Amino acid sequence: NEGKGKIRGLSPWREVAIEGRGVKGAASKKGKWRDYYDMYRQHSIVRSAVDKIAKNATNVGYDFVPRDSRAEVLDSEVAILKEFFDKQHDFVSELRRVYKDLLIYGDAYLHIVPNRRRRPVRLKRLPPQTIHVKAARNGKIEAYYQKDLEDVMDEPLRFEPQEILHF
């Protein structure tokens, strides 16, 4: 494994070699997805804790703040963002599901769905157990692939890094 890039931290992605693994050269998690979900589903204390954290984190709503606190807030940009998020169908529930994914699996993904003019029109949650990350040796994400490994006939769907919000 010497010389291969590795992802470190508490995520199940740790100790996963980046190159030459999984779907189209993308890394697959070492841990079993079903184990994480089964722990959530079968242990009432774990399920209650995860649900409570996700609910509390998403009940307060959201606000739009600039990355740099010294930056001037442009009302026209905030209006565009508010319009976009107002058009999302039941966005708080979707956000809660993403938050649960993050707590259960260690990762969560939203696909930025474009219209025909390549403008974002909605955000769609992607099940983390179907996502495989392809990264260069330096850790830069090259692509995301969506494929259910349990479905042999399923063809991988490729996403560019800018099409996915990865938490």
Side-chain angles (χ1 to χ4, degrees):
N1 278 346
E2 194 171 310
K4 291 185 180 179
K6 290 194 177 211
I7 297 172
R8 301 269 184 217
L10 297 176
S11 170
W13 285 103
R14 69 178 166 25
E15 297 179 13
V16 173
I18 299 298
E19 59 184 70
R21 296 264 177 110
V23 177
K24 302 274 187 180
S28 296
K29 284 195 175 181
K30 202 171 194 174
K32 294 188 176 164
W33 289 109
R34 191 174 309 266
D35 292 345
Y36 299 117
Y37 183 71
D38 284 347
M39 286 175 60
Y40 166 76
R41 189 174 52 80
Q42 294 174 359
H43 299 282
S44 61
I45 294 173
V46 172
R47 184 175 54 253
S48 295
V50 167
D51 290 350
K52 183 77 156 181
I53 292 168
K55 186 175 183 181
N56 285 341
T58 56
N59 267 351
V60 295
Y62 49 90
D63 197 7
F64 302 98
V65 295
R67 286 184 201 185
D68 183 352
S69 61
R70 298 169 295 186
E72 182 181 334
V73 176
L74 301 175
D75 291 334
S76 60
E77 289 180 1
V78 171
I80 291 168
L81 284 170
K82 282 186 178 180
E83 181 183 351
F84 175 79
F85 284 100
D86 286 345
K87 289 181 181 178
Q88 303 302 307
H89 176 69
D90 202 9
F91 181 66
V92 172
S93 292
E94 194 77 350
L95 191 59
R96 189 168 294 146
R97 289 178 67 198
V98 166
Y99 209 99
K100 284 181 186 182
D101 286 345
L102 188 59
L103 293 170
I104 295 167
Y105 301 112
D107 289 287
Y109 305 91
L110 283 174
H111 174 219
I112 304 168
V113 180
N115 62 13
R116 291 183 180 176
R117 293 180 292 166
R118 306 300 300 159
R119 299 290 226 195
V121 290
R122 75 182 195 107
L123 298 172
K124 179 183 175 193
R125 175 191 161 267
L126 299 176
Q129 62 270 30
T130 65
I131 301 298
H132 309 273
V133 181
K134 183 172 184 181
R137 286 177 162 265
N138 64 3
K140 183 178 179 188
I141 304 296
E142 294 177 351
Y144 292 92
Y145 290 94
Q146 184 177 29
K147 179 179 179 9
D148 185 354
L149 293 178
E150 294 181 12
D151 183 358
V152 180
M153 301 303 289
D154 190 24
E155 283 295 318
L157 182 60
R158 180 188 166 98
F159 297 99
E160 295 300 321
Q162 66 272 13
E163 294 179 282
I164 299 292
L165 296 175
H166 181 175
F167 302 90

